[in-house]
Coordinates of all heavy atoms in Angstrom, one line a residue:
T105 N 3.6 27.0 36.0 CA 4.2 28.1 35.3 C 5.6 27.7 35.0 O 6.3 28.0 33.9 CB 4.1 29.3 36.0 OG1 2.7 29.5 36.3 CG2 4.7 30.5 35.2
Q106 N 6.4 27.3 36.1 CA 7.8 26.9 35.9 C 8.1 25.8 34.9 O 9.0 25.8 34.0 CB 8.4 26.6 37.2 CG 9.9 26.4 37.2 CD 10.6 26.2 38.6 OE1 9.8 26.3 39.5 NE2 11.8 26.1 38.7
I107 N 7.1 24.7 35.0 CA 7.3 23.6 34.1 C 7.0 24.1 32.5 O 7.7 23.8 31.6 CB 6.3 22.6 34.4 CG1 6.7 21.9 35.7 CG2 6.1 21.5 33.3 CD1 5.7 21.0 36.3
H108 N 6.0 25.0 32.4 CA 5.8 25.6 31.1 C 7.0 26.4 30.6 O 7.3 26.3 29.4 CB 4.5 26.4 31.2 CG 4.2 27.0 29.9 ND1 3.7 26.3 28.8 CD2 4.2 28.3 29.4 CE1 3.4 27.0 27.7 NE2 3.7 28.3 28.2
S109 N 7.6 27.1 31.5 CA 8.7 28.0 31.2 C 9.9 27.0 30.8 O 10.6 27.3 29.8 CB 9.1 28.9 32.3 OG 10.3 29.6 32.0
N110 N 10.1 26.0 31.5 CA 11.2 25.1 31.2 C 11.1 24.4 29.8 O 12.0 24.2 29.0 CB 11.4 24.0 32.3 CG 11.9 24.5 33.5 OD1 12.5 25.7 33.6 ND2 11.6 23.9 34.7
S111 N 9.8 24.0 29.5 CA 9.4 23.4 28.2 C 9.7 24.4 27.1 O 10.2 24.0 26.1 CB 8.0 23.0 28.3 OG 7.1 24.0 28.3
N112 N 9.5 25.7 27.3 CA 9.6 26.7 26.2 C 11.2 26.9 26.1 O 11.6 27.1 25.0 CB 9.0 28.1 26.7 CG 7.5 28.1 26.5 OD1 7.0 27.2 25.9 ND2 6.9 28.9 27.3
N113 N 11.9 26.9 27.1 CA 13.4 27.0 27.0 C 14.0 25.8 26.3 O 15.0 26.0 25.5 CB 14.0 27.1 28.4 CG 13.7 28.5 29.1 OD1 13.4 29.5 28.4 ND2 13.8 28.5 30.4
S114 N 13.5 24.6 26.6 CA 14.2 23.5 25.9 C 13.8 23.5 24.5 O 14.6 23.1 23.6 CB 13.6 22.2 26.5 OG 12.2 22.1 26.4
S115 N 12.5 23.9 24.1 CA 12.2 24.0 22.7 C 13.0 25.0 22.0 O 13.4 24.9 20.8 CB 10.7 24.3 22.5 OG 10.4 25.5 23.1
R116 N 13.3 26.2 22.7 CA 14.1 27.2 22.1 C 15.6 26.8 21.9 O 16.2 27.1 20.8 CB 14.1 28.4 23.0 CG 14.8 29.7 22.4 CD 14.7 30.9 23.3 NE 13.4 31.3 23.6 CZ 12.9 31.6 24.7 NH1 13.8 31.5 25.8 NH2 11.6 31.8 25.0
V117 N 16.0 26.0 22.7 CA 17.4 25.4 22.6 C 17.5 24.5 21.4 O 18.4 24.5 20.6 CB 17.9 24.9 23.9 CG1 19.2 24.1 23.7 CG2 18.1 25.9 25.0
S118 N 16.6 23.7 21.4 CA 16.5 22.7 20.2 C 16.3 23.4 18.9 O 16.9 23.1 17.9 CB 15.4 21.7 20.5 OG 14.1 22.4 20.4
F119 N 15.6 24.6 18.9 CA 15.4 25.4 17.7 C 16.7 26.0 17.2 O 17.0 26.0 16.1 CB 14.3 26.5 18.0 CG 14.1 27.4 16.8 CD1 13.4 27.1 15.7 CD2 14.8 28.7 16.9 CE1 13.2 27.9 14.7 CE2 14.5 29.5 15.8 CZ 13.8 29.2 14.7

Side-chain angles (χ1 to χ4, degrees):
T105 303
Q106 188 171 357
I107 291 172
H108 181 70
S109 175
N110 291 337
S111 64
N112 290 338
N113 290 337
S114 63
S115 63
R116 186 179 301 135
V117 171
S118 63
F119 175 79

